[in-house]
């Protein structure tokens, strides 16, 4: 009995650690910014493409670190993970052809954006004692849905931030597509699920090709909560705000991972 309890406690600790690592990585990927300062009066155009490539490489590297963390947590350090293209899992993060089965559909994003915006507006209604006649909820929902719609399909943009005494500042990121954090989360959930349940005796590569994403089947209440957290990341959050979002997301994921562990094989 003591051995069983020890194994269960160890598994629970790994589950919580996996939830924290996934949440931290999603927040990092959704908020990452790459900057480069050029000489005064320099032409920024030639440097834009190189900066964008470094930005994407940094995101791929961050996802690769998450994949390594998950393999280590579940004692699969040498496990090979293949993606749809047959290459390593991390290499096709920006292969948008695979996004059709990952993340949320546009209608789900709009619904989640509306629900999250309405929740924020409802806070305004409560603050004024209902005197707004729920106008805050309506406007908040409309704003949440509209921002989700207009940001669709926007990846990183390289912006010229102006020229100061130190020279021209270029900035790439963060990725504005509202589905991006959902796709990142979906990829992490697929990897965590199959690595956590994988028998250690298996030595063949883990192939994730063709597997459907998991976030689309989320409970609407969980989806609404996560969308609300992701909305906070689109407002150039401070380090303390990013930490709060990461903690909130890890709480949701820990419950989800525990359900996975308890489900029959």
């Amino acid at each position: 009995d003591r051995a069983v309890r020890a194994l269960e406690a160890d598994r629970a600790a790994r589950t919580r650690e996996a939830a924290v690592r996934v949440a931290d990585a999603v927040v990092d990927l959704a908020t990452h910014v790459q900057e480069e300062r050029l000489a005064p009066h320099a032409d920024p155009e030639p440097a834009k493409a190189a900066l964008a490539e470094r930005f994407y490489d940094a995101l791929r590297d961050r996802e690769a670190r998450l994949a390594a963390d998950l393999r280590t947590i579940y004692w699969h350090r040498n496990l090979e993970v293949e993606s749809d293209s047959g290459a390593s899992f991390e290499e096709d993060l920006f292969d948008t052809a695979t996004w059709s089965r990952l993340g949320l559909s546009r209608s789900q994003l709009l619904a989640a954006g509306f629900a999250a915006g309405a929740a924020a507006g409802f806070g305004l209604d409560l603050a004024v004692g209902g005197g707004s006649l729920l106008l805050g909820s309506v406007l908040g929902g409309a704003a949440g849905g509209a921002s989700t719609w207009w940001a669709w399909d926007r990846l990183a943009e390289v912006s010229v931030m102006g020229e100061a005494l130190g020279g021209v500042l270029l900035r790439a990121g963060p990725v504005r597509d509202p589905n991006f954090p959902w796709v990142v989360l979906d990829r992490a959930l697929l990897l965590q699920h199959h690595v956590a349940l994988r028998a250690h005796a298996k030595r063949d590569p883990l192939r994730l090709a063709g597997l459907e994403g998991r976030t689309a089947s989320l409970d609407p209440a969980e989806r609404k909560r996560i969308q609300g957290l992701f909305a906070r990341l689109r407002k150039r959050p401070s380090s303390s705000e990013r930490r709060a979002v990461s903690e909130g997301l890890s709480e949701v994921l820990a419950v989800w991972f525990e359900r996975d562990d308890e489900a029959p094989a």
Side-chain angles (χ1 to χ4, degrees), residues 68-125:
D69 287 343
L70 291 176
R71 289 193 291 258
T72 299
I73 288 171
Y74 293 107
W75 294 340
H76 285 293
R77 289 182 180 85
N78 298 319
L79 175 64
E80 295 181 33
V81 182
E82 293 183 357
S83 64
D84 290 49
S85 64
S88 68
F89 175 72
E90 300 85 8
E91 288 180 359
D92 76 338
L93 174 60
F94 296 103
D95 180 4
T96 54
T98 67
W99 286 22
S100 59
R101 61 178 180 78
L102 297 176
L104 303 183
S105 67
R106 180 173 290 204
S107 60
Q108 288 174 323
L109 271 175
L110 286 171
F114 186 90
F122 186 62
L124 172 63
D125 293 326

Side-chain angles (χ1 to χ4, degrees), residues 211-230:
L211 296 179
E212 292 296 322
R214 311 193 72 214
T215 57
S217 60
L218 266 172
D219 178 90
E222 291 176 321
R223 189 185 303 157
K224 172 184 170 182
R225 184 179 178 189
I226 293 174
Q227 181 67 5
L229 293 170
F230 286 166

Side-chain angles (χ1 to χ4, degrees), residues 25 28-29 32-35 50-66 90 93-94 172 180:
D28 287 347
L29 286 158
H32 181 70
V33 172
Q34 197 93 9
E35 294 183 341
L51 180 62
E53 191 57 36
R54 289 198 299 275
F55 172 80
Y56 289 127
D57 285 344
L59 296 188
R60 293 186 184 100
D61 289 344
R62 182 63 183 91
E63 190 186 47
R65 293 205 309 274
L66 171 62
E90 300 85 8
L93 174 60
F94 296 103
F180 179 68

Side-chain angles (χ1 to χ4, degrees), residues 239-257:
S239 57
S240 60
E241 179 75 355
R242 290 197 299 271
R243 173 51 51 192
V245 170
S246 181
E247 290 173 355
L249 182 57
S250 68
E251 290 174 4
V252 178
L253 296 180
V255 173
W256 195 353
F257 293 171

Side-chain angles (χ1 to χ4, degrees), residues 154-195:
R154 291 180 61 192
L155 292 180
E157 297 178 353
V158 179
S159 303
V160 180
M161 306 308 296
E163 184 168 346
L165 294 177
V168 178
L169 179 64
L170 296 183
R171 176 180 294 159
V175 176
R176 292 299 185 187
D177 190 322
N179 205 25
F180 179 68
W182 286 103
V183 171
V184 170
L185 178 60
D186 236 342
R187 285 165 61 84
L189 293 176
L190 278 173
L191 183 61
Q192 185 276 337
H193 176 76
H194 289 281
V195 171

